[in-house]
Amino acid sequence: MTITVIGTGFVGLVTASVFASFGHTVYGLDIDARKIALLKKAKAPFFEPHLDELLKETLNKKKLKFTTDYAEAISASQVILVAVGTPSSESGGVDITYVKSALVELSKHLKPGTIVAIKSTLPPGAVVELKKILDELVSVQYSLATVPEFLREGSAVSDTLKPARIVIGTEDPDTFAVLKQLHSPFNAPVIQTKPASAQMAKYAANAYLATRITFINQIADLCEKNGADVEEVIQAIGYDPRIRSHYWYPGLGYGGSCFPKDVRELAYFSRQVGEKTNLFNKIQEINDLRLGRLMTQFANFVSGWEGKTVAVLGLAFKPNTDDTREAPSAKIIPQLLSEGATVYGYDPKASLTEFIRLNCDAHAQYSEKKSIVSACKNADVILLLIEWPEIASFNYSSVKNSSEQYIIDTRNILDKSLAASWGYHYRGIGRGDHS
Ligand code: UGA
C-alpha cells in the first residue's frame, strides 16, 4: 500500500517510519522544507530512542520518502494519515487550523477511493466540521476517519510497534476493513467506533491518566501531614486488582505537550456544553498550582535559595526525550535564579540554555554541565527532577562534600535512608518525615 503521513512531529514521524518498516511505501510530508531536508539525511529533528535507526533502515530500503510536495505524495496514496499539530487556542479550546490547511491542500490531489484518517487530537465533534470542508472541496469519492494515537514520547517507537489497542473511528465498513488490514501487523485489539467516540477516547484516556497522577499527588500531600510514606501506600493499595501499582508515581504534577493541553481542552469543552462544574477544571487547577506550592516547601526545607548553589538534574519533561515543553525545570530554574541561587543544570539530552538566556535576568548564574558529577560539584542542594536511569542509579555519596547538603528527590527515586546515611538532608514527595 502507498501511504502519506502529513506532519513529521513525534506522532507523524514515528508512524511513517513504522509503516515503512512493514514494507509499505510511505511519504512523510511536511511543509517545513528545512525539516524535510534533514529527514532525507535520516536526521530526526528531536531525540527519540530507536527512531534514527528506523529512519536509516527505511530510507535505505527506499520505503520511506520525505517530501514537501502534496501533489507527488497524495496522488500516489490510498491512505492518508493526518498527524499535524493541534495546539490549544487562546480561548482554551483547540486550534485545528493546521488540520484544516492540510485537508485543503490534500483535497486538490485526492484520487478516487482514498481514505483520509486523522491522527491529530481533535475536539469531539470536530470531524463533522472537517467533513463539511472536504465535501465542498472534493469531487471524487473519499472517506474520512479518525485513528487517535496513544504513544508516549520517550517510548514512541516501541509503543507504536506494540500498541495496547487500535481505535478506528468510522461507520463505513469498507473504510474500517482497509484500516484494520493496515494495522494488522500490530497484532493488537482493533476497536471500531464512531469518529466522535474515537476522538473522545483519546481525551478520556489522557484525562484519566492525568486524574490518576493528580489523585496520588494529593494522597502524597496528605502523607506529608501524617507521617505516612506514599510509596508504601501505593504498594499496599496496588494489590487490589482494580487499582494496581502502575502509572501513579507522585511528583511535581504532570507535564509535557499532551496532558496539560488535553485536560485544559476537555475542561473547556465541558464548559462550552454547559457542564460548568466539571472534574477536569479542578484537575487542571490542582496541577497548575502544585509546583508553586512545593517550591515554597522546598525553599523552607533548605532555608531559602539566596546564595545557594543548586544542581538541577533532569531538564526534559520526562526521561528518554529532549522535549522540555511544560517541563518542571523550565519553571523551577527561573524561580531559583530570581531568588538568588546559582544553578548548574544537567540532562543527558535536553538543554534549557537558550530558554534561560531569553527569559531570565539572572541568566549569567545558570550553566549546563556535561555530567552529574560536575553539576553536583560544590552543590548545596541537589534537585532531582527527572528519573533518567543515569540520574536514578547515580551514587550520590560520591559527590557528598563536608558541608550541609540537601537532596530534594521529586521522583522518589532514591532510598531515603541510604541518602540520609550518606549525610544528606533528604526530602522526597509524600514520604512523611524529612531528615
Ligand atoms: C501521554 C500519554 O501517556 C500517551 O498515551 C498519549 O498518547 C500522549 O500523552 C499524547 O497524548 O500524545 P506523554 O505525554 O509522552 O504521553 O508522557 P507520559 O509518560 O504519559 O507522562 C506525562 C506526564 O505525567 C509527565 O510529566 C510524567 O512525568 C507525568 N507522570 C507520569 C507522573 O507524574 N506520574 C506517573 O505515574 C506517570
Side-chain angles (χ1 to χ4, degrees):
M1 203 182 276
T2 300
I3 303 166
T4 291
V5 180
I6 305 179
T8 55
F10 279 98
V11 171
L13 194 50
V14 173
T15 305
S17 338
V18 166
F19 278 123
S21 76
F22 293 159
H24 297 293
T25 299
V26 182
Y27 286 94
L29 175 66
D30 204 294
I31 51 172
D32 184 339
R34 207 183 47 89
K35 215 166 160 190
I36 290 296
L38 265 181
L39 286 167
K40 282 183 173 171
K41 294 184 207 151
K43 291 202 176 92
F46 47 81
F47 169 71
E48 184 62 41
H50 312 301
L51 183 58
D52 282 347
E53 298 92 295
L54 204 57
L55 280 176
K56 247 180 231 135
E57 178 198 315
T58 47
L59 279 165
N60 281 346
K61 288 186 180 157
K62 305 210 180 321
K63 285 293 167 191
L64 184 55
K65 302 167 186 208
F66 288 106
T67 182
T68 54
D69 184 358
Y70 269 83
E72 176 195 9
I74 304 300
S75 58
S77 298
Q78 288 113 297
V79 174
I80 296 157
L81 297 166
V82 180
V84 296
T86 47
S88 290
S89 66
E90 287 207 347
S91 59
V94 192
D95 177 357
I96 58 170
T97 315
Y98 298 125
V99 179
K100 286 182 182 167
S101 333
L103 295 187
V104 170
E105 287 309 310
L106 70 84
S107 71
K108 299 172 190 163
H109 313 285
L110 271 191
K111 58 180 189 181
T114 308
I115 295 174
V116 180
I118 313 239
K119 269 204 166 291
S120 309
T121 301
L122 292 175
V127 81
V128 176
E129 184 189 344
L130 298 176
K131 177 96 175 62
K132 258 192 210 145
I133 295 177
L134 270 185
D135 280 348
E136 274 173 24
L137 296 169
V138 177
S139 50
V140 299
Q141 183 270 325
Y142 77 97
S143 164
L144 183 66
T146 50
V147 280
E149 182 52 64
F150 299 98
L151 63 77
R152 292 162 298 173
E153 286 183 30
S155 53
V157 173
S158 54
D159 283 357
T160 305
L161 285 168
K162 287 196 183 70
R165 77 307 213 177
I166 303 290
V167 178
I168 300 177
T170 177
E171 288 176 293
D172 174 47
D174 295 337
T175 302
F176 176 68
V178 174
L179 290 176
K180 187 179 176 193
Q181 175 63 28
L182 178 66
H183 290 88
S184 60
F186 294 118
N187 279 323
V190 177
I191 298 121
Q192 181 178 12
T193 67
K194 293 198 276 189
S197 309
Q199 295 165 249
M200 197 60 191
K202 167 71 189 187
Y203 276 102
N206 275 2
Y208 171 73
L209 294 169
T211 306
R212 206 171 148 97
I213 296 165
T214 307
F215 175 88
I216 206 66
N217 283 337
Q218 299 244 289
I219 295 291
D221 290 349
L222 297 182
C223 290
E224 296 279 346
K225 308 281 181 206
N226 65 11
D229 184 332
V230 71
E231 296 302 325
E232 292 175 356
V233 175
I234 291 171
Q235 196 190 9
I237 61 176
Y239 278 95
D240 186 326
R242 295 168 301 173
I243 298 178
R244 298 284 184 219
S245 319
H246 60 278
Y247 208 84
W248 52 5
Y249 57 84
L252 299 173
Y254 56 78
S257 63
C258 303
F259 286 172
K261 169 182 173 306
D262 289 358
V263 173
R264 211 179 299 131
E265 289 169 4
L266 201 56
Y268 176 81
F269 179 74
S270 306
R271 294 194 301 272
Q272 289 302 101
V273 296
E275 300 293 337
K276 301 233 181 306
T277 313
N278 68 77
L279 173 67
F280 316 112
N281 279 334
K282 205 66 205 169
I283 298 289
Q284 178 197 337
E285 185 192 322
I286 293 169
N287 197 66
D288 286 349
L289 293 174
R290 180 163 186 76
L291 195 135
R293 287 184 49 225
L294 284 169
M295 280 300 281
T296 305
Q297 294 176 18
F298 298 163
N300 290 338
F301 179 59
V302 303
S303 309
W305 301 111
E306 174 84 53
K308 295 269 184 343
T309 299
V310 184
V312 174
L313 305 185
L315 305 174
F317 89 92
K318 64 182 279 191
N320 300 314
T321 180
D322 57 3
D323 193 345
T324 55
R325 284 176 289 176
E326 302 257 357
S329 60
K331 293 173 189 152
I332 287 175
I333 295 171
Q335 187 174 341
L336 294 175
L337 293 172
S338 75
E339 292 184 23
T342 297
V343 181
Y344 297 126
Y346 172 74
D347 188 284
K349 293 288 175 191
S351 170
L352 275 184
T353 304
E354 195 54 13
F355 172 83
I356 299 293
R357 193 180 67 76
L358 293 174
N359 293 288
C360 300
D361 292 340
H363 56 81
Q365 294 306 107
Y366 177 71
S367 58
E368 284 174 14
K369 300 290 175 185
K370 289 199 173 356
S371 69
I372 298 178
V373 173
S374 45
C376 292
K377 199 172 165 203
N378 303 324
D380 301 303
V381 184
I382 298 173
L383 195 43
L384 306 179
L385 292 190
I386 299 298
E387 67 283 20
W388 280 93
E390 185 190 337
I391 292 172
S393 62
F394 185 75
N395 178 356
Y396 291 90
S397 71
S398 68
V399 288
K400 179 79 186 82
N401 56 42
S402 52
S403 58
E404 284 257 293
Q405 278 176 296
Y406 298 82
I407 289 187
I408 300 175
D409 176 6
T410 69
R411 292 303 201 199
N412 291 351
I413 47 185
L414 299 188
D415 177 333
K416 62 178 179 180
S417 43
L418 192 61
S421 75
W422 293 332
Y424 287 101
H425 298 288
Y426 174 88
R427 190 201 195 286
I429 301 285
R431 309 198 82 175
D433 47 328
H434 306 140
S435 50

